[in-house]
Amino acid sequence: ECECEAMVSVPAVAAHPPGRRCIQPSCSAPSAAIVAGTGLLTAACCLRSSSSSGATAAAAGAVSAVACALALWCFDSGTSAAPVLSKSELLAARDAALRSEPDELLREQISRNLHFLGEEAQASVGRALVVIVGVGSVGSHAAALLGRSGVACLRLVDPARLTVASCARHATATPARVPNSRAGATRDALRSTVPALSIQVCETALGAANAATLLAGADMVLLCTRDTPTLAVGLAHSHAAGLRALACLSGPASRGQSAGAHPSLVYLHELLFSPDARSLIRHLRRALPQPMPLPDQLVLAPVPPTLSCWPSEPHSSPSRRGDPPPPRAIPASAAIGHAAASAALCALGGLVLQPRRNVFPRTTRDAMWRAVARRERDIFGANVTERTFSQIWPEDVEYLVDEVYGRRCAKTGESLGGRSTLVLTRWRADTPIALDNAILLTKAEAEQHDARGSLHGQPPAVIAAVDRALGRAGGPLCSEG
């Protein structure tokens, strides 16, 4: 017999699943490298034997080496080799778990949902699959609320791990769970409170290559990550696949202002004062080459109740020792997560989501944009039509009117909707209109400004103020930073 035949009993795959690094120093699980080396040694030694058992051992050793080489690749690349379960498989696991759960226990758990949604709508919720991309300070709270509200299946997509700081923000993080994966910690916590909930953890990042797999079968997609390219990929694929999706913009609503503690459900293109929203629209234009990508896309964001007319000055002067630091915008992550879960439950139950009413109607915005195109053609001789005009977009018009000029004429102070019509025209007549070269004036003032043809005669302080505001207005949209 072969002397090394006993080595075939060494496990062919490391004790830890692919894609999960063991970071416990006292862990006794055999590493993939050791097992792979053992498999190669088994194959080499057993090939010397001419017996059939030696050949079998050699084959087993080779299989062990190949399997562990794949495990090593998964460890190094950080990807997960576990297949993504289909919705039917997740529902089958839930049905099996429900057989051991008393019916009255589940009905008591969702009793308030039944009063609000009704039996039929709650039954739809109880057969739904919700995919949550990003299980951090927002996504973990959304997952916890959805799991306790009777949603059948959750697929949690997040490659990140808990840190000590996560204990202050994450819904289920505890010091004992650091540094486990954020998605895994959420799954473990929900399994202890909602045993019948079917959860799959995918410790990988959402991208264009795997979006079809990770979002397959979803009845609702909640995008709870702050990574703008990931948000754009999720929204673009959901739009192409006909999936309902809701993006959460958890960053500050505007620079220099504190975010409102009340998240609002708004259209993405009505949130142009938010740097996060403008960045997301820029990425969506690349994924969906349209003038207004996803014009009816709803997002959740902390919207402040009031907005300043002109962008506030940054805190440039250094504070003296002992002075309190300047205020920073702190997003209400838990509130956004709860609002996202509530919106998902209503949508799954067949209710129509009502966005926050915008005081600047889209019809007014589009009419002002068309007026800008006609002005470029008739006054400045630009060879453009409403179909080919792309120097600024309708959402850029809204941003200029709302946030740069506060819906008032830059010269007279007359407000939008008053006696005089407000129009956008070039600030510098010799440069095409753009986000950083547009001024809001009454129609009469705009005609005088265009006829003058230059800024000659304007007070230097006015020129400096307008240039400073327009420079900041054009920066976030025109640059990649």
Side-chain angles (χ1 to χ4, degrees):
E1 293 184 354
C2 175
E3 296 178 357
C4 59
E5 188 173 358
M7 299 177 65
V8 180
S9 62
V10 176
V13 182
H16 292 281
R20 297 282 299 275
R21 293 182 183 270
C22 178
I23 54 178
Q24 302 294 334
S26 60
C27 177
S28 58
S31 68
I34 295 175
V35 179
T38 304
L40 289 175
L41 182 60
T42 301
C45 293
C46 293
L47 282 176
R48 295 182 179 179
S49 173
S50 59
S51 63
S52 59
S53 61
T56 304
V63 170
S64 173
V66 172
C68 292
L70 290 175
L72 270 176
W73 176 81
C74 290
F75 284 161
D76 294 335
S77 63
T79 59
S80 176
V84 176
L85 300 178
S86 65
K87 179 183 177 180
S88 59
E89 292 172 321
L90 291 172
L91 286 175
R94 173 177 172 81
D95 293 339
L98 284 175
R99 296 189 189 101
S100 60
E101 290 286 331
D103 292 340
E104 58 272 14
L105 180 63
L106 179 60
R107 289 191 64 83
E108 177 64 22
Q109 176 186 331
I110 61 175
S111 58
R112 301 201 174 205
N113 287 30
L114 289 171
H115 285 295
F116 178 72
L117 295 175
E119 294 280 353
E120 184 178 351
Q122 183 61 40
S124 299
V125 173
R127 306 299 294 175
L129 166 62
V130 179
V131 178
I132 301 179
V133 180
V135 197
S137 57
V138 175
S140 62
H141 287 275
L145 185 56
L146 288 171
R148 296 167 186 261
S149 299
V151 170
C153 312
L154 293 178
R155 185 180 295 145
L156 309 180
V157 181
D158 193 334
R161 295 189 171 274
L162 294 174
T163 62
V164 175
S166 302
C167 297
R169 304 184 301 269
H170 199 274
T172 62
T174 61
R177 290 194 172 106
V178 177
N180 296 340
S181 70
R182 299 194 304 192
T186 304
R187 174 199 57 199
D188 297 340
L190 286 176
R191 279 180 174 174
S192 64
T193 55
V194 194
L197 178 62
S198 182
I199 309 179
Q200 183 181 23
V201 169
C202 300
E203 294 181 29
T204 185
L206 178 70
N210 60 6
T213 301
L214 294 176
L215 305 184
D219 297 290
M220 190 75 189
V221 178
L222 294 183
L223 300 165
C224 304
T225 175
R226 293 197 63 180
D227 185 63
T228 305
T230 302
L231 289 175
V233 168
L235 289 178
H237 178 80
S238 298
H239 174 71
L243 305 176
R244 288 177 290 188
L246 181 64
C248 299
L249 304 182
S250 58
S254 57
R255 291 194 177 104
Q257 298 176 354
S258 297
H262 52 284
S264 299
L265 192 65
V266 296
Y267 289 113
L268 175 59
H269 289 276
E270 294 178 352
L271 202 63
L272 264 296
F273 57 83
S274 166
D276 290 344
R278 295 200 300 274
S279 177
L280 177 55
I281 289 174
R282 185 175 65 245
H283 282 82
L284 280 173
R285 282 174 179 164
R286 298 170 182 167
L288 301 169
Q290 302 171 8
M292 287 194 300
L294 307 183
D296 297 322
Q297 177 62 51
L298 291 173
V299 298
L300 268 170
V303 180
T306 58
L307 300 170
S308 60
C309 295
W310 291 79
S312 58
E313 291 289 347
H315 298 277
S316 55
S317 58
S319 59
R320 294 173 298 179
R321 180 172 297 181
D323 290 345
R328 297 179 63 87
I330 303 177
S333 301
I336 297 175
H338 293 161
S342 300
L345 288 172
C346 291
L348 293 172
L351 301 180
V352 178
L353 299 180
Q354 297 291 339
R356 170 179 173 266
R357 185 178 180 182
N358 187 22
V359 293
F360 187 22
R362 188 180 300 174
T363 54
T364 303
R365 179 195 67 183
D366 294 345
M368 293 187 71
W369 176 76
R370 289 192 293 269
V372 173
R374 291 194 299 268
R375 196 172 197 86
E376 285 291 294
R377 180 193 61 199
D378 299 339
I379 303 297
F380 300 102
N383 185 21
V384 296
T385 64
E386 292 182 9
R387 290 181 176 273
T388 61
F389 181 60
S390 61
Q391 276 76 14
I392 60 174
W393 302 95
E395 58 266 25
D396 298 335
V397 170
E398 182 174 0
Y399 173 64
L400 286 166
V401 173
D402 260 346
E403 299 311 310
V404 177
Y405 296 107
R407 303 185 185 180
R408 293 181 179 273
C409 172
K411 185 173 182 180
T412 66
E414 294 187 53
S415 61
L416 183 70
R419 295 182 179 181
S420 301
T421 302
L422 299 188
V423 297
L424 283 168
T425 189
R426 295 182 181 183
W427 169 234
R428 285 180 167 79
D430 57 347
T431 305
I433 194 167
L435 195 62
D436 56 356
N437 188 43
I439 188 169
L440 183 66
L441 299 169
T442 64
K443 192 171 183 180
E445 292 291 342
E447 291 175 354
Q448 295 179 10
H449 179 79
D450 295 339
R452 192 178 297 115
S454 68
L455 300 181
H456 181 70
Q458 296 283 4
V462 172
I463 296 177
V466 174
D467 285 343
R468 184 168 59 250
L470 289 177
R472 288 197 299 267
L477 275 175
C478 298
S479 67
E480 291 298 321

